[in-house]
Amino acid sequence: MTDTAAQSSEQGEERAGRGSGQGGERAGQATEQGEERAAQGTGQGEEPSAQEQLRERRAAAHRQARRTLSRAGWGSTIRERLAYLTEAGSGVYDLDEPADVYGNRIVAALEERVAALLGTEAAAFFPTGTMAQQVALRCWAARTGNPAVALHALAHPEMYERHAFSQVSGLRPVRVGSGPQLPTAAEIRAFDEPFGALMLELPLRDAGFVLPTWEELTEVVEAARERDAVVHFDGARLWECTDHFGRPLEEIAALADSVYVSFYKSLGGFGGAALAGPRTLVEEAKSWRHRYGGMIFQQFPTALSALIGLEHELPRLPEYVRHARVVAAALREGFAAAGVPWSRVHPERPHTQEFQVWLPYEPDVVAEAAVRQAEETSVMLFANAWDGVGPGIAVTEVVIRAAGLEWTADDVRAAVRDFVDRLPDKA
């Protein structure tokens, strides 16, 4: 069952890992939207395009800026990331313990920690969220006898996973709900064909990191259960939702039959994900994880970074969410005072630590202004890419982490004035 090239000692470890429920899974390369674009390089011998040059300038400005509203740890150097792993990791796990082999030791400890946080019977570590969710929904389809998965048109699998549900997993995604919010209970009840599972992305990233109210969420879950469907939460950023819902993680997770969480989106880990739910589902998922290629020999760096995130970042997320609302209000005030003819912060009161900013310019215009501001002042207000969402309308995402807490409302308003000075006059 192992690689024929593996040494006998490794074979024994692998068998031990299988006995403890370790496995692998399938494909699904779904990185964050901006990071995925940044990872796409130019062809050999080709001159970089204007967009690629701008992306390189933005990355350089981000590294060198003395002050950045949204500073992500993944943009650090390898040396910095390794130093962080060693220094912070010593406080959350015994670094003198043997490293994991096929998912035991530190990986098993991480799985136990996640299950305890989410209040589920068990959890399984996966190298990617794409893999975790395909496996979960495949297992549910086998149990319900229905491969149809109901999900919003803006859900991550529909936007970024190259039709992996249908091409790899034999699932049939069906789109339910309309508008830039999750499906309502009425839409679930009125949907005109049966489905085996309802997948809800919390928050719905491409709609602006939006969440329903707690009452709306419970009604949607009830509507799905009325149709004999299971409910799966795409909770990549579920960690950020407690302030909005006013509920602890375990109470939120208890609404669903299974939950996926990410370790790098909110927690700053190196990567990885977990699937949490009933023990029988998790054990079955581990078998499929192995079949999909997710039984990796050693994963201690990713697992350790996840434990660090759970220890240090998770407790701070409610503070990030609350400060995101301060920043959002200051951005609105700043653009209005600077005379920008139309702007939008969405949601007006952010539901999580992340939100969108919309401006009445072409994306390349605002992107250039954002990069020049950082290059000329060493202050970076907008660190993420800008996309077009209509003629003459650009949108970007703002994410508040530890660095953002250092920005007062006055700081944000001043940076907005300086940024607007670099935009063309629209009078």
Side-chain angles (χ1 to χ4, degrees):
M1 296 294 291
T2 61
D3 258 340
T4 56
Q7 296 179 354
S8 59
S9 60
E10 295 175 0
Q11 292 174 337
E13 291 282 9
E14 181 176 6
R15 284 191 295 271
R18 285 202 301 273
S20 62
Q22 296 302 327
E25 57 197 85
R26 9 165 226 211
Q29 301 165 344
T31 60
E32 295 287 82
Q33 184 180 20
E35 297 162 28
E36 183 172 6
R37 281 195 300 271
Q40 296 169 352
T42 61
Q44 290 185 354
E46 296 178 5
E47 288 295 323
S49 67
Q51 286 187 338
E52 290 161 346
Q53 292 177 28
L54 183 61
R55 185 171 62 235
E56 292 171 0
R57 287 173 56 205
R58 183 172 65 245
H62 186 270
R63 289 192 300 269
Q64 297 167 11
R66 62 177 175 82
R67 214 168 180 210
T68 302
L69 183 62
S70 299
R71 186 176 292 279
W74 58 262
S76 304
T77 66
I78 294 174
R79 185 180 301 278
E80 289 169 337
R81 293 292 268 168
L82 290 175
Y84 163 79
L85 193 67
T86 302
E87 293 166 11
S90 61
V92 301
Y93 193 82
D94 185 355
L95 301 188
D96 290 321
E97 286 289 316
D100 65 297
V101 177
Y102 291 119
N104 60 1
R105 302 185 180 112
I106 188 171
V107 176
L110 174 60
E111 292 172 336
E112 292 174 5
R113 178 77 181 276
V114 170
L117 285 168
L118 298 179
T120 60
E121 290 182 349
F125 179 85
F126 281 79
T128 71
T130 301
M131 186 187 290
Q133 299 206 106
Q134 286 193 57
V135 165
L137 292 166
R138 179 174 191 139
C139 293
W140 285 127
R143 295 177 181 212
T144 64
N146 189 333
V149 178
L151 73 174
H152 195 280
L154 294 178
H156 197 279
E158 289 292 271
M159 298 293 290
Y160 304 115
E161 298 180 13
R162 298 190 179 187
H163 310 292
F165 275 10
S166 59
Q167 296 299 309
V168 179
S169 299
L171 301 170
R172 185 169 63 87
V174 293
R175 296 181 176 184
V176 60
S178 60
Q181 67 277 321
L182 285 167
T184 65
E187 289 171 326
I188 295 299
R189 292 189 175 103
F191 196 66
D192 59 3
E193 65 175 294
F195 51 84
L198 172 65
M199 178 178 179
L200 297 174
E201 183 178 335
L202 301 175
L204 187 56
R205 181 260 182 103
D206 273 69
F209 304 96
V210 296
L211 290 164
T213 65
W214 179 253
E215 292 72 22
E216 289 169 338
L217 180 60
T218 56
E219 288 171 4
V220 167
V221 170
E222 290 170 4
R225 297 264 162 71
E226 290 170 9
R227 302 189 56 146
D228 295 323
V230 298
V231 176
H232 171 77
F233 284 170
D234 175 345
R237 299 172 174 85
L238 191 74
W239 313 112
E240 304 173 19
C241 297
T242 56
D243 186 88
H244 175 83
F245 287 135
R247 300 290 195 285
L249 282 168
E250 60 268 26
E251 188 173 350
I252 301 170
L255 289 180
D257 296 284
S258 58
V259 180
Y260 142 68
V261 289
S262 172
F263 294 127
Y264 75 89
K265 290 181 172 67
S266 306
L267 302 179
F270 288 8
L275 171 65
R279 189 173 303 280
T280 55
L281 176 80
V282 170
E283 291 304 316
E284 182 183 359
K286 289 178 177 180
S287 296
W288 280 104
R289 181 183 60 189
H290 193 182
R291 296 181 180 117
Y292 275 72
M295 189 171 178
I296 298 173
F297 180 53
Q298 290 193 315
Q299 301 182 90
F300 65 89
T302 303
L304 180 57
S305 71
L307 286 171
I308 294 170
L310 291 172
E311 183 72 20
H312 296 295
E313 284 298 291
L314 181 60
R316 304 193 70 182
L317 294 185
E319 182 183 11
Y320 296 168
V321 174
R322 291 190 290 269
H323 195 65
R325 295 165 185 155
V326 173
V327 171
L331 286 168
R332 287 196 308 272
E333 296 161 1
F335 282 117
V340 175
W342 175 90
S343 65
R344 183 181 181 188
V345 173
H346 175 69
E348 186 170 311
R349 184 179 187 271
H351 298 171
T352 71
Q353 69 193 72
E354 302 164 280
F355 57 90
Q356 295 176 339
V357 174
W358 297 38
L359 292 176
Y361 297 89
E362 294 296 334
D364 58 342
V365 172
V366 284
E368 174 64 28
V371 171
R372 283 203 296 115
Q373 179 183 28
E375 290 172 337
E376 295 167 6
T377 70
S378 194
V379 173
M380 196 166 211
L381 180 62
F382 298 114
N384 291 325
W386 290 82
D387 287 318
V389 291
I393 300 177
V395 62
T396 192
E397 296 173 348
V398 175
V399 182
I400 300 303
R401 299 183 178 90
L405 297 180
E406 300 174 3
W407 289 60
T408 66
D410 287 341
D411 292 335
V412 174
R413 287 188 287 262
V416 168
R417 286 194 300 271
D418 185 68
F419 169 75
V420 171
D421 286 343
R422 290 168 168 78
L423 293 172
D425 187 2
K426 291 185 71 76

